[in-house]
Amino acid sequence: MHENLNREEEIKVPPDRSFGIVFTLVFLAMGIWVVSEGQSKGWLFFVIAALFLVVAIARPCILGPLNRAWTKFGLLLGQVFNPLLLGVVFFLVVTPIAVVMRLWGKDFLHLKSKPGLKSYWIDRSSAGQKIGSMTKQF
């Protein structure tokens, strides 16, 4: 095989400080959204955002385990949802198009057997481009 699929790639975890600032912004946005809806529980999100900001600025190393756990969770989500999403796209988009094309009798890959043909070779000399048309392109 030309590609080694068993390799272990090094996972780059973002810096703990930037992780804390991102989560500060996330909880701040959630707090603004909940408070704008008129719910009083939104202030809890502001407190969590303030805690994340203080820890991210003062001692970002405290956020290290949470940062690594969040990164591993993201990788797990990618391993689960990527095949699911590709399967959904295949079965809901590609397969119906293939069925419709077969019902219309299309054979884009020229796979149907043609016993009367002398050869399946497609002569390209008669089609469109002249020989040597691709020379001196630039």
Side-chain angles (χ1 to χ4, degrees), residues 41-60:
K41 293 181 182 179
W43 298 106
L44 180 65
F45 290 111
F46 290 128
V47 171
I48 294 172
L51 288 174
F52 265 101
L53 183 63
V54 168
V55 172
I57 291 173
R59 297 282 309 260

Side-chain angles (χ1 to χ4, degrees), residues 19-36 41-53 63 66 70:
F19 170 78
I21 291 172
V22 166
F23 266 77
T24 298
L25 294 175
V26 167
F27 281 111
L28 186 66
M30 289 171 59
I32 291 171
W33 181 53
V34 171
V35 168
S36 69
K41 293 181 182 179
W43 298 106
L44 180 65
F45 290 111
F46 290 128
V47 171
I48 294 172
L51 288 174
F52 265 101
L53 183 63
L63 297 173
L66 187 60
W70 186 255

Side-chain angles (χ1 to χ4, degrees), residues 31-115:
I32 291 171
W33 181 53
V34 171
V35 168
S36 69
E37 294 284 322
Q39 298 178 10
S40 61
K41 293 181 182 179
W43 298 106
L44 180 65
F45 290 111
F46 290 128
V47 171
I48 294 172
L51 288 174
F52 265 101
L53 183 63
V54 168
V55 172
I57 291 173
R59 297 282 309 260
C61 62
I62 295 174
L63 297 173
L66 187 60
N67 187 6
R68 287 187 295 280
W70 186 255
T71 303
K72 288 182 181 180
F73 177 67
L75 291 173
L76 176 68
L77 281 179
Q79 287 180 342
V80 170
F81 284 104
N82 282 344
L84 287 175
L85 183 64
L86 288 175
V88 166
V89 167
F90 179 78
F91 287 113
L92 294 181
V93 176
V94 176
T95 303
I97 291 173
V99 169
V100 168
M101 291 297 129
R102 284 191 180 190
L103 289 175
W104 284 348
K106 300 289 183 184
D107 185 25
F108 294 115
L109 296 177
H110 306 290
L111 297 176
K112 290 183 181 175
S113 176
K114 299 173 186 170

Side-chain angles (χ1 to χ4, degrees), residues 1 3-9:
M1 211 172 186
E3 185 175 2
N4 182 8
L5 298 176
N6 295 327
R7 65 184 179 274
E8 288 289 327
E9 294 184 23

